């Protein structure tokens, strides 16, 4: 057993993603490096009467190609995305569950909205045709914990199993919680991440009416512009990211590939407002400090930040303030980018897709651009990786996830030598 600072070490040995710019890890990576945008006019439904008519949908996703058609009929899209990404992650890890003690393997996933597409469809049915026409499968299609439940059923994994729902920090909390279960010896392996499929007429209207979404309908690919002075809101996305996490010696014994080490996790609250971030950025500052401290590192050991970077005026400004508070002058030496500039905001799954982006960048020692970032706010002198992907020395990196309700999560990974 490998012990560091009195605790078991955790590594990432498998990754799977379904995103608006690629439905597997290699395609996702190619899209990130190329600066590809997944934003477009809404294709999933008629949006002609909506004020916001753009999103970042997963393209070419046919769940029945990999999942049992009966299961597809009985599950919401967010579960299907999660199962697909889990299949990718397990295959990538090359773990053989038949040879493992499945009592010591668990599943934790994060989801902010649950099966809201199924809820909307069935509520429409309820209003039009009455209560007897509501599907008996509505509840298991709707509740957010069905993603982790279905993954556990698929592989017979009997360890800790639950969902974390903390808005846009959901997947970050899921991976962090899985990390802690391994670190403290509860289990040897965890399947963790998040899935979200909340793009619907109902949710677009709701987010639009609260002023959260970009209204650049004529330029969808330019709408998500994190940290840019002309940002006007986020672009709603969807997708999933799932990881296989292992205790280091467990991974070594079976000869597993190691993508990187997951070495730190922070979880805090703003305790300020239900939607607006704390203007003093106290929770965001503390969550990064917690992750760095748990990894036994100093702020100047960090080379790269995968920012929450939503493209909303208040959130981006608050995150910049937190970066300066944590890193001081070193903040100007950091590479800072936002994956949301290409894939939009995947809500509860955002932290998982962005963790995959961070791991890939650490592995390849190359950072992707913050697409559409042209002009920073006055007085901001951070390196937002303008002008395209570039090589970058990365020893350790942070991924930030901040959610409505003031929920903050931060994950720290170290390059694997």
């Amino acid at each position: 057993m490998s012990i560091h600072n009195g605790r078991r070490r955790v590594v990432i040995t498998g990754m799977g993603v379904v995103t608006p710019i690629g439905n597997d890890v290699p395609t996702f990576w190619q899209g990130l490096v190329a600066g590809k945008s997944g934003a477009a006019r809404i294709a999933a439904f008629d949006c002609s009467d909506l004020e916001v008519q753009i999103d970042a949908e997963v393209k070419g996703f046919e769940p029945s190609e990999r999942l049992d058609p009966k299961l597809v009929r009985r599950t919401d899209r967010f579960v299907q995305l999660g199962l697909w990404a889990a299949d990718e992650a397990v295959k990538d890890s090359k773990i053989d569950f038949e040879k493992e003690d499945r009592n010591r393997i668990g599943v934790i996933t994060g989801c902010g909205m649950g099966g809201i597409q199924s809820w909307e469809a069935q509520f429409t049915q309820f209003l039009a045709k009455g209560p007897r026409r509501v599907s008996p499968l509505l509840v298991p299609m709707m509740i957010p914990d069905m993603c982790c439940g279905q993954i556990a059923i698929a592989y017979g994994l009997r360890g800790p199993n639950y969902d974390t729902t903390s808005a846009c920090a959901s997947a970050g909390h899921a991976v962090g919680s899985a990390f802690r279960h391994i670190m403290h010896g509860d289990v040897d392996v965890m399947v963790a991440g998040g899935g979200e499929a909340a793009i619907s007429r109902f949710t677009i209207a709701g987010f639009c009416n609260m002023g959260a979404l970009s209204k650049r309908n004529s330029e969808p690919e330019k709408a998500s512009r994190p940290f840019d002075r002309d940002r006007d809101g986020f672009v709603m996305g969807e997708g999933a990211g799932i990881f296989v996490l292992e205790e280091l010696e467990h991974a070594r014994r079976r000869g597993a590939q190691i993508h990187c080490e997951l070495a730190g996790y922070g979880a805090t609250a703003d305790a300020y407002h239900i939607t607006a971030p704390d203007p003093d950025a106290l929770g965001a500052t503390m969550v990064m400090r917690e992750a760095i401290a748990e990894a036994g590192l100093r702020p100047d050991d960090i080379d790269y930040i995968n920012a929450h970077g939503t493209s909303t005026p208040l959130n981006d400004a608050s995150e910049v303030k937190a970066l300066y508070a944590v890193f001081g002058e070193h903040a100007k030496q950091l590479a800072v980018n936002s994956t949301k500039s290409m894939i939009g905001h995947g809500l509860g799954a955002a932290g998982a897709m962005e963790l995959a982006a961070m791991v890939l960048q650490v592995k390849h020692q190359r950072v992707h651009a913050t697409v559409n970032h042209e002009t920073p706010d006055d007085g901001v002198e951070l390196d937002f990786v303008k002008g395209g992907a570039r090589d970058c020395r990365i020893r350790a990196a942070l991924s930030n996830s901040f959610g409505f309700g003031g929920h903050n999560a931060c994950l720290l990974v170290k390059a694997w030598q």
Side-chain angles (χ1 to χ4, degrees):
M1 182 182 300
S2 183
I3 304 292
H4 177 67
N5 292 336
R7 66 170 206 232
R8 291 166 23 123
R9 297 172 69 184
V10 180
V11 292
I12 296 176
T13 59
M15 294 192 295
V17 297
V18 187
T19 80
I21 61 170
N23 296 349
D24 55 61
V25 169
T27 308
F28 180 50
W29 175 238
Q30 291 168 10
L32 291 174
V33 173
K36 179 180 179 181
S37 174
R41 183 177 172 84
I42 294 171
F45 49 81
D46 180 11
C47 63
S48 58
D49 61 340
L50 296 175
E51 190 174 2
V52 169
Q53 301 178 355
I54 57 175
D55 66 3
E57 298 172 26
V58 170
K59 289 92 175 165
F61 178 67
E62 298 293 342
S64 58
E65 291 179 2
R66 194 171 299 182
L67 306 178
D68 184 284
K70 183 177 180 181
L71 179 63
V72 172
R73 291 193 299 271
R74 292 170 173 263
T75 52
D76 187 84
R77 182 176 172 88
F78 87 97
V79 173
Q80 297 162 13
L81 293 168
L83 284 168
W84 186 287
D87 181 67
E88 292 273 332
V90 171
K91 287 176 179 174
D92 181 48
S93 74
K94 296 182 173 59
I95 193 167
D96 184 353
F97 290 129
E98 295 294 332
K99 297 179 180 179
E100 301 290 337
D101 179 357
R102 284 185 272 198
N103 294 323
R104 292 188 59 79
I105 305 175
V107 186
I108 304 175
T109 56
C111 182
M113 305 289 282
I116 196 161
Q117 291 185 3
S118 296
W119 180 90
E120 184 174 334
Q122 290 300 312
F123 189 64
T124 300
Q125 184 89 334
F126 171 76
L127 292 178
K129 299 184 178 181
R132 293 184 62 83
R133 298 300 297 271
V134 173
S135 170
L137 297 172
L138 170 61
V139 172
M141 292 176 75
M142 180 181 69
I143 52 181
D145 66 308
M146 282 298 109
C147 186
C148 56
Q150 290 285 6
I151 292 171
I153 291 168
Y155 298 105
L157 307 179
R158 294 182 289 271
N161 185 278
Y162 54 91
D163 169 81
T164 55
T165 296
S166 47
C168 308
S170 297
H173 284 138
V175 174
S177 298
F179 163 72
R180 291 275 171 82
H181 278 295
I182 298 173
M183 187 179 75
H184 294 305
D186 303 333
V187 292
D188 300 314
V189 180
M190 290 293 292
V191 178
E196 193 84 272
I199 297 172
S200 74
R201 285 175 52 80
F202 196 51
T203 54
I204 291 287
F207 278 106
C208 174
N209 291 348
M210 71 184 297
L213 300 181
S214 172
K215 297 178 182 178
R216 292 175 184 263
N217 293 329
S218 63
E219 299 179 302
E221 294 184 355
K222 295 182 179 180
S224 183
R225 40 198 321 113
F227 305 108
D228 186 77
R229 189 172 59 196
D230 295 327
R231 63 192 182 272
D232 71 327
F234 70 80
V235 175
M236 191 182 296
E238 63 176 357
I242 301 291
F243 305 85
V244 175
L245 311 182
E246 293 188 55
E247 190 273 325
L248 175 57
E249 292 306 319
H250 182 280
R252 282 175 166 163
R253 282 195 299 272
R254 68 179 191 85
Q257 67 173 342
I258 294 175
H259 292 300
C260 67
E261 180 173 4
L262 182 57
Y265 166 54
T268 67
D270 283 0
Y272 172 74
H273 189 271
I274 57 169
T275 56
D278 177 5
D280 293 325
L282 299 180
T285 298
M286 186 165 64
V287 80
M288 286 187 275
R289 287 176 173 162
E290 284 186 0
I292 293 168
E294 182 165 55
L297 300 179
R298 303 183 308 271
D300 59 7
D301 293 317
I302 308 300
D303 298 307
Y304 161 59
I305 306 290
N306 188 282
H308 186 56
T310 58
S311 182
T312 57
L314 294 180
N315 184 276
D316 289 3
S318 178
E319 188 167 12
V320 165
K321 189 167 189 175
L323 290 173
Y324 277 120
V326 173
F327 296 100
E329 280 299 308
H330 181 61
K332 298 176 184 177
Q333 308 303 314
L334 296 167
V336 181
N337 62 15
S338 172
T339 305
K340 291 182 181 73
S341 64
M342 287 175 271
I343 66 171
H345 193 343
L347 306 180
M353 293 185 283
E354 289 159 23
L355 175 60
M358 181 169 74
V359 170
L360 288 166
Q361 290 171 95
V362 172
K363 278 190 66 176
H364 292 283
Q365 296 287 286
R366 187 168 175 79
V367 291
H368 70 67
T370 300
V371 174
N372 299 320
H373 178 79
E374 296 170 356
T375 308
D377 288 333
D378 292 341
V380 176
E381 300 179 59
L382 298 180
D383 176 8
F384 291 115
V385 194
K386 294 170 62 175
R390 67 166 188 259
D391 293 339
C392 180
R393 175 178 178 250
I394 308 174
R395 298 163 296 169
L398 297 179
S399 180
N400 288 331
S401 298
F402 309 141
F404 283 174
H407 310 293
N408 305 309
C410 182
L411 299 168
L412 185 151
V413 302
K414 294 167 63 176
W416 186 254
Q417 304 297 329

